[in-house]
């Protein structure tokens, strides 16, 4: 999926539309297994601002993952934005710090890697089937989203638990 930038040689061209799908089955993000349900969609444009070429891309992806609390699998649809300044990759690369830089080679721009990092950055911090997921009972493993159990969980402050071990009751 490389995008041809040679149209920009024509000074009259102000922008190039970018639209497509990226086939990716799964991603391992720090041990989290992200399974894509369908190809990642992206749509946007590369446009000229003075002497610069800028990219603005909407990235939409649907994935399946296991909830960190109840371990049930859930699916989610997320959106992210990939934007930055296009810079030709040469031996001497000058970084001007401010902008996000997206490199291209020989008038060809390959966005796959940039789209993947955009997805990784946009993933919710914690995998949760929903915000209020009640998780599993630490004693019997019952999924509290589905049913309650009779277990009595001692709600001990972990700092107090240490004291409890240090000074066992006689
Ligand atoms: Zn859950
Ligand atoms: Zn229980």
């Amino acid at each position: 999926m490389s995008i041809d930038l040679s149209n920009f040689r024509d000074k009259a061209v102000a922008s190039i539309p970018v639209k497509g799908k990226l086939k990716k089955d799964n991603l391992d993000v720090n041990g989290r297994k992200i399974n894509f349900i369908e190809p990642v969609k992206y749509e946007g444009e590369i446009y000229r601002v003075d002497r610069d070429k800028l990219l603005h891309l909407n990235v939409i992806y649907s994935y399946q993952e296991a909830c960190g609390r109840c371990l049930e699998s859930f699916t989610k649809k997320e959106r992210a934005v990939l934007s930055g300044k296009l810079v030709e990759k040469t031996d001497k690369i000058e970084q001007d710090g401010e902008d996000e830089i997206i490199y291209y080679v020989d008038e060809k721009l390959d966005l796959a890697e940039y789209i993947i990092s955009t997805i990784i950055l946009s993933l919710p911090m914690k995998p949760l089937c929903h915000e209020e997921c009640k998780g599993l009972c630490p004693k019997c493993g019952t999924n509290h989203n589905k049913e309650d159990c009779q277990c009595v969980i001692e709600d001990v402050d972990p700092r107090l638990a240490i004291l409890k071990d240090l000074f066992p009751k006689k």
Side-chain angles (χ1 to χ4, degrees):
M1 52 163 290
S2 98
I3 296 153
D4 183 11
L5 298 174
S6 61
N7 284 350
F8 274 130
R9 279 188 219 160
D10 179 351
K11 296 283 177 243
V13 172
S15 71
I16 295 177
V18 179
K19 185 180 179 175
K21 285 176 184 171
L22 175 64
K23 183 93 182 69
K24 181 93 186 155
D25 291 332
N26 51 58
L27 262 186
D28 191 315
V29 184
N30 300 323
R32 283 168 68 176
K33 186 107 164 121
I34 310 293
N35 296 305
F36 293 101
I37 302 166
E38 54 188 24
V40 175
K41 288 189 207 113
Y42 56 89
E43 185 166 11
E45 61 173 353
I46 300 162
Y47 54 100
R48 232 197 272 268
V49 175
D50 301 325
R51 293 161 120 208
D52 291 333
K53 292 187 273 292
L54 305 177
L55 168 78
H56 186 92
L57 206 63
N58 292 304
V59 177
I60 300 161
Y61 61 100
S62 299
Y63 68 101
Q64 173 268 326
E65 189 180 9
C67 175
R69 279 188 204 153
C70 71
L71 312 179
E72 295 278 319
S73 148
F74 66 91
T75 58
K76 220 170 196 176
K77 190 172 192 176
E78 293 282 345
R79 287 166 177 276
V81 170
L82 167 59
S83 64
K85 184 167 120 179
L86 302 195
V87 173
E88 174 145 40
K89 193 157 196 168
T90 51
D91 291 337
K92 46 170 184 99
I93 291 163
E94 339 117 40
Q95 276 271 22
D96 59 4
E98 294 277 303
D99 300 297
E100 189 70 42
I101 306 290
I102 295 164
Y103 293 107
Y104 63 92
V105 181
D106 296 333
E107 295 186 313
K108 292 208 165 32
L109 172 64
D110 187 348
L111 287 174
E113 259 181 57
Y114 292 102
I115 290 174
I116 296 302
S117 7
T118 303
I119 290 175
I120 293 173
L121 289 174
S122 71
L123 277 171
M125 292 293 281
K126 280 187 184 165
L128 285 182
C129 59
H130 49 87
E131 284 302 318
E132 269 88 57
C133 172
K134 295 186 193 129
L136 302 176
C137 168
K139 263 193 182 163
C140 72
T142 296
N143 183 342
H144 282 168
N145 298 311
K146 291 178 179 163
E147 55 182 317
D148 289 326
C149 61
Q150 302 306 315
C151 301
V152 179
I153 309 296
E154 280 184 70
D155 203 3
V156 186
D157 184 315
R159 288 164 301 178
L160 293 178
I162 294 168
L163 291 177
K164 215 170 146 192
D165 289 343
L166 286 174
F167 306 105
K169 285 197 197 100
K170 283 173 192 149

